C-alpha cells in the first residue's frame, strides 16, 4: 500500500504513450497496455521520482480545484494496482 | 460487430532455433532461412502494425537471436513507437549484443526456462550447455536493467520444479514469471504422451501458484497458464479470434494465432501481397471465427460465449475434426468425456519417448 510520504517512481520499461489510433493515453509496460483515464493520466504525469504522493495530490487538487481527499482516494487505488503489477515502484 | 484495432502482434522472425524443445509451438513444417522475410519487409510490417493500432510487439521465433539483423529490427520497431518485447531462450545473445539491443530501444525481455537445472533444461531443450549459457545471459540482462519476465514452461517431466522456478525468478530480479503449462499445439501434439501432466500435478500447480501469488504480492507478478486438458472451461484463446492480436510467420503469412495453419480450410494473406490493415479488417482467415456468429451449440446459447469465445479453434480442429466445434476442454462439450479419458491415458504413458523438434 502506498502512503502519502512515499515517492512513487516509474521503473524502466514502463511509459505513458499517446495511442494515436484510439486517441487516448495508455500506460505501456511488459506485455501489457493499460488505458489511462484523465485522472490516471494526470497522476502519471506528475510522477517525477522526487515528489511524494502527498505532494502530487496537493498539486492536482490545486490544478483541478478538487478536494484533496477525493484525489487521494482516486489515486491510491490506481497506484496500488500498478504497484502490484510491478508497473510502479516506491523510492527507497 | 465492429472490429477493433489489434493491441498486440507476434512477429515470428524465424523458425530457426538452437534448441529443439519437444513442445515447440512452431508448426511441424518449419520455414527455412531462404524463405524468411528480409529486413526491409519486416521494418515495413512494424510501421504498418503501429499505424493499425498495435501497441505491443513480441519478437519471437524460433529463436529471434538467430536473425543477424535483430538489432536493426528492434530499432525499426522502436522508431515506429511499438513496445518491443524479445522472447528468447538466451542462446545467441552475448553481452555485446544485449548492449546493442539496449541502444536500439528494446523495452523488455522474456527469457524461457526449460528446467531449473542443467540436467533437466538441457535434456528438454536438446542443447548441452544451454542452461549455463542462459544463466549468464540472465546476469547480463540484470546488469543492463532490462525488465525481465521468466517464462517457465511446465509439463509432466518438470512440474515438480515449479517452486524452484519461482525462486529463480525472484533471484534473477524478474518482475514477472509466466508459469506456462504446455499447450498442445505444434510439436507438443506429438508429445502428449511424454508431457501430459497428471491430474494431481495440475492441482498441485494451482496450489503452488496461489500460495506464491499471496507471498510475493508486489514483488513478483505470476501469470499462470494452467493445464488446459484438465480444466473445466477452455482458454480464452487469443482473447477472441481476430479481436486483439495477430501473428506474422517467418514467410510473412498473417495468422489469427500461431497454430491457425492447422485449420485446413483457412486461407492466409501474406504481407508481401496485401497491406496489414486490409488483412486485419477483411482477411478471410480473420473473419472466419471473429465474434460469435460462427458458433454452433452448445456455444451459441452459452452465457460464457463472450468470456472464452468457445475456446481454441485449433484445439477443436485437432480433437473433434471441426474447427467450429466447442473446445473439447469445456464441460459442456459432447466430446469432453472422451478428452478426459484421452488425457488420463496420455498422463499415464510412462514409456512415451520425447520427440524433439527437427527441420525435415
Amino acid at each position: 500500500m502506498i502512503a502519502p510520504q512515499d515517492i512513487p517512481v516509474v521503473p524502466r520499461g514502463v511509459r505513458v504513450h499517446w495511442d494515436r489510433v484510439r486517441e487516448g493515453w495508455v500506460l505501456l509496460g511488459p506485455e501489457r497496455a493499460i488505458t489511462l483515464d484523465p485522472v490516471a493520466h494526470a497522476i502519471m504525469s506528475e510522477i517525477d521520482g522526487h515528489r511524494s504522493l502527498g505532494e502530487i495530490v496537493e498539486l492536482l487538487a490545486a490544478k483541478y480545484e478538487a478536494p484533496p481527499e477525493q484525489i487521494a482516494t482516486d489515486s491510491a487505488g490506481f497506484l496500488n494496482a500498478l504497484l502490484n503489477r510491478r508497473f510502479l515502484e516506491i523510492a527507497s | 460487430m465492429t472490429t477493433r484495432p489489434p493491441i498486440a502482434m507476434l512477429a515470428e522472425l524465424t523458425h530457426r532455433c538452437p534448441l529443439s524443445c519437444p513442445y515447440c509451438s512452431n508448426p511441424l513444417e518449419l520455414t527455412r532461412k531462404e524463405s524468411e522475410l528480409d529486413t526491409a519487409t519486416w521494418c515495413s510490417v512494424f510501421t504498418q502494425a503501429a499505424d493499425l493500432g498495435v501497441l505491443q510487439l513480441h519478437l519471437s521465433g524460433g529463436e529471434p537471436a538467430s536473425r543477424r539483423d535483430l538489432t536493426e529490427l528492434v530499432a525499426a520497431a522502436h522508431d515506429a513507437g511499438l513496445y518491443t518485447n524479445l522472447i528468447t531462450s538466451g542462446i545467441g545473445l552475448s553481452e555485446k549484443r544485449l548492449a546493442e539491443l539496449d541502444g536500439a530501444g528494446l523495452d523488455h525481455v522474456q527469457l524461457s526456462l526449460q528446467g531449473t537445472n542443467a540436467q533437466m533444461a538441457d535434456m528438454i531443450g536438446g542443447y548441452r550447455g544451454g542452461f549455463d549459457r542462459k544463466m549468464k545471459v540472465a546476469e547480463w540482462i540484470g546488469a543492463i536493467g532490462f525488465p525481465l519476465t521468466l517464462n517457465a514452461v511446465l509439463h509432466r517431466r518438470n512440474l515438480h520444479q515449479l517452486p524452484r522456478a519461482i525462486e529463480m525468478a525472484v533471484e534473477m530480479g524478474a518482475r514477472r514469471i509466466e508459469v506456462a503449462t504446455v499447450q498442445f499445439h505444434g510439436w507438443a501434439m506429438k508429445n502428449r504422451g511424454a508431457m501430459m501432466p497428471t491430474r494431481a500435478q495440475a492441482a498441485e500447480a494451482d496450489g503452488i501458484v496461489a500460495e506464491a501469488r499471496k507471498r510475493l504480492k508486489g514483488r513478483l507478478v505470476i501469470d499462470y497458464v494452467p493445464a488446459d486438458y484438465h480444466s473445466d472451461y477452455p482458454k480464452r484463446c487469443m482473447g477472441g479470434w481476430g479481436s486483439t492480436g495477430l501473428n506474422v510467420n517467418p514467410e510473412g503469412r498473417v495468422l489469427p494465432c500461431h497454430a491457425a495453419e492447422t485449420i485446413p480450410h483457412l486461407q492466409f494473406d501474406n504481407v508481401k501481397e496485401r497491406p496489414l490493415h486490409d488483412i486485419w479488417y477483411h482477411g478471410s482467415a480473420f473473419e472466419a471465427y471473429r465474434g460469435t456468429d460462427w458458433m454452433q451449440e452448445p456455444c451459441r446459447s452459452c452465457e460464457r460465449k463472450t468470456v472464452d469465445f468457445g475456446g481454441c479453434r485449433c484445439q477443436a480442429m485437432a480433437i473433434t475434426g471441426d474447427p467450429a466445434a466447442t473446445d473439447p476442454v469445456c464441460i459442456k462439450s459432447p466430446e469432453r468425456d472422451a478428452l478426459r479419458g484421452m488425457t488420463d491415458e496420455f498422463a499415464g504413458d510412462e514409456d512415451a519417448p520425447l520427440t524433439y523438434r527437427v527441420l525435415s
Side-chain angles (χ1 to χ4, degrees):
Chain A
M1 291 288 278
I2 190 163
Q5 69 276 12
D6 288 334
I7 299 171
V9 182
V10 179
R12 177 171 173 166
V14 179
R15 62 169 183 265
V16 175
H17 176 83
W18 171 250
D19 182 343
R20 61 186 157 93
V21 175
R22 296 169 192 83
E23 299 192 330
W25 292 100
V26 289
L27 190 62
L28 295 181
E31 306 187 32
R32 276 279 277 254
I34 298 169
T35 307
L36 295 176
D37 61 26
V39 178
H41 179 248
I43 297 165
M44 290 310 294
S45 305
E46 299 301 339
I47 294 176
D48 64 357
H50 301 288
R51 285 184 198 124
S52 68
L53 175 61
E55 289 169 320
I56 292 171
V57 166
E58 274 175 42
L59 228 119
L60 292 175
K63 200 165 170 180
Y64 296 99
E65 294 176 4
E69 303 76 38
Q70 184 61 47
I71 304 257
T73 318
D74 286 354
S75 56
F78 168 66
L79 294 177
N80 283 324
L82 293 186
L83 279 173
N84 288 335
R85 193 68 214 170
R86 294 289 320 260
F87 272 40
L88 191 73
E89 289 174 3
I90 291 173
S92 47
Chain B
M1 193 196 79
T2 2
T3 303
R4 282 184 283 194
I7 292 164
M9 184 168 88
L10 183 78
E12 283 179 358
L13 298 179
T14 177
H15 279 160
R16 288 175 286 142
C17 183
L19 304 192
S20 47
C21 304
Y23 50 69
C24 183
S25 64
N26 286 165
L28 301 183
E29 247 176 81
L30 296 166
T31 299
R32 291 175 181 279
K33 188 182 178 193
E34 311 80 80
S35 312
E36 291 176 7
L37 292 183
D38 61 18
T39 312
T41 310
W42 274 121
C43 294
S44 156
V45 172
F46 298 157
T47 310
Q48 291 182 56
D51 290 344
L52 179 57
V54 168
L55 299 170
Q56 293 273 345
L57 176 67
H58 308 300
L59 298 161
S60 177
E63 171 51 61
S66 298
R67 287 280 303 212
R68 291 189 154 196
D69 56 356
L70 180 61
T71 304
E72 215 176 317
L73 296 176
V74 166
H78 178 76
D79 290 347
L82 296 167
Y83 190 97
T84 52
N85 172 29
L86 182 66
I87 300 178
T88 180
S89 69
I91 309 301
L93 292 174
S94 61
E95 197 171 7
K96 178 166 170 276
R97 213 160 172 218
L98 280 163
E100 288 166 3
L101 290 168
D102 184 21
L106 180 66
D107 288 299
H108 171 252
V109 180
Q110 186 193 112
L111 188 67
S112 62
L113 193 73
Q114 287 74 28
T116 58
N117 54 30
Q119 192 194 356
M120 177 66 75
D122 295 357
M123 190 267 285
I124 295 297
Y127 185 84
R128 192 179 297 180
F131 180 80
D132 290 344
R133 181 69 183 182
K134 189 191 298 288
M135 292 304 106
K136 204 73 215 159
V137 172
E139 270 174 42
W140 295 328
I141 290 168
I144 290 174
F146 284 123
L148 172 67
T149 292
L150 194 63
N151 183 1
V153 186
L154 301 162
H155 42 80
R156 191 169 79 240
R157 297 187 182 226
N158 70 359
L159 252 165
H160 61 282
Q161 297 188 331
L162 172 57
R164 177 65 195 136
I166 294 170
E167 263 173 34
M168 284 174 73
V170 173
E171 287 165 14
M172 283 178 186
R175 291 183 202 168
R176 174 170 166 259
I177 184 171
E178 198 173 307
V179 174
T181 316
V182 163
Q183 301 293 297
F184 293 98
H185 303 290
W187 291 84
M189 275 302 271
K190 285 182 174 288
N191 284 292
R192 287 187 293 181
M195 308 195 113
M196 184 67 68
T198 63
R199 193 172 306 247
Q201 276 183 315
E204 195 185 349
D206 289 350
I208 291 169
V209 167
E211 183 280 325
R213 272 184 176 154
K214 209 182 280 176
R215 178 167 48 89
L216 297 170
K217 191 175 175 189
R219 286 171 64 202
L220 183 71
V221 177
I222 304 180
D223 285 331
Y224 180 40
V225 181
D228 192 30
Y229 283 37
H230 289 294
S231 302
D232 287 342
Y233 291 106
K235 56 195 171 202
R236 180 186 160 89
C237 202
M238 295 300 290
W241 184 277
S243 74
T244 53
L246 72 166
N247 183 20
V248 182
N249 88 350
E251 290 165 75
R253 276 200 300 280
V254 187
L255 318 174
C257 83
H258 63 261
E261 286 173 299
T262 59
I263 301 177
H265 77 91
L266 295 180
Q267 301 230 323
F268 303 100
D269 293 297
N270 194 299
V271 292
K272 290 191 276 192
E273 286 144 18
R274 200 174 177 186
L276 200 62
H277 186 277
D278 207 21
I279 297 174
W280 173 258
Y281 285 103
H282 308 295
S284 63
F286 283 87
E287 290 191 328
Y289 303 110
R290 189 175 259 151
T292 54
D293 288 350
W294 56 272
M295 288 178 179
Q296 46 200 25
E297 293 298 348
C299 290
R300 184 173 277 278
S301 60
C302 181
E303 72 284 1
R304 290 178 58 90
K305 72 175 173 183
T306 54
V307 175
D308 51 37
F309 296 95
C312 173
R313 296 305 86 229
C314 304
Q315 191 145 285
M317 175 69 218
I319 292 168
T320 75
D322 176 6
T326 300
D327 186 327
V329 163
C330 184
I331 47 169
K332 296 184 179 178
S333 163
E335 309 276 344
R336 211 262 181 147
D337 288 344
L339 182 86
R340 273 283 160 111
M342 192 194 285
T343 305
D344 290 337
E345 210 168 295
F346 285 132
D349 191 353
E350 284 169 19
D351 302 323
L354 289 171
T355 302
Y356 288 90
R357 176 195 122 125
V358 282
L359 188 67
S360 57

